[in-house]
Amino acid sequence: MQISDEKLWESCLTGDKEAFKEIYCRFYSLLYNYGSKLVSDKDLVKDCIQDIFIKLIQNYPSLSPTPNVKGYLIKALRNKLYDALEKEKPTDDITLYEEVFITDELFPLLSFDDSEVDDRARRLMQVFSLLSSHQQEIIYLYYVNELKHEEIAEIMGINYQSSKNLLFRSLSSLKKLYLKKD
């Protein structure tokens, strides 16, 4: 029987190193895939994930219970990556970063042949790449990571209703672009 994420987190709150190890193993792939969509520097993503877990282990007495470990870790990674990007920018650059949600690696994962279904899937992926980074991110978080709007809102720093509205507008845009004739 697998221990729930919440029970593992409770063990982490007591400083249980095995619980931290299990949380790390359970969420590393998800965090790496998500971080790789936010920034192209894979080493930076790996470093930030390591930094998050080191900080969690070192500061376990100050951690709080959370009903959503996955959302907590995704938000921590997002913030850590943005902080790292901010530090890398020259001080005279007034823009923090240009948000880009990277979808290029999704294309090779899909094996296309000449069938009509594959043509539609290929077209859908091409249209998906035309959406804004926020639109791509919310679709990814909702459908791929299966997060709820409360979790997405916290991760993206928006409110619950904005999360729902953004997802609806993103899907509407995707549909409109998909149905648009070339």
Side-chain angles (χ1 to χ4, degrees), residues 127-141:
V127 170
F128 181 78
S129 67
L130 298 175
L131 295 175
S132 75
S133 61
H134 284 299
Q135 290 173 322
Q136 291 176 16
E137 184 177 10
I138 196 162
I139 290 171
Y140 179 81
L141 290 172

Side-chain angles (χ1 to χ4, degrees), residues 72-103:
Y72 178 89
L73 293 172
I74 289 173
K75 183 177 181 181
L77 178 59
R78 188 177 203 257
N79 291 338
K80 185 75 173 167
L81 285 169
Y82 289 163
D83 288 346
L85 290 173
E86 183 179 74
K87 288 178 185 174
E88 289 179 4
K89 290 287 184 185
T91 54
D92 59 339
D93 187 359
I94 58 170
T95 60
L96 172 59
Y97 58 89
E98 181 180 336
E99 283 194 49
V100 177
F101 198 77
I102 301 164
T103 58

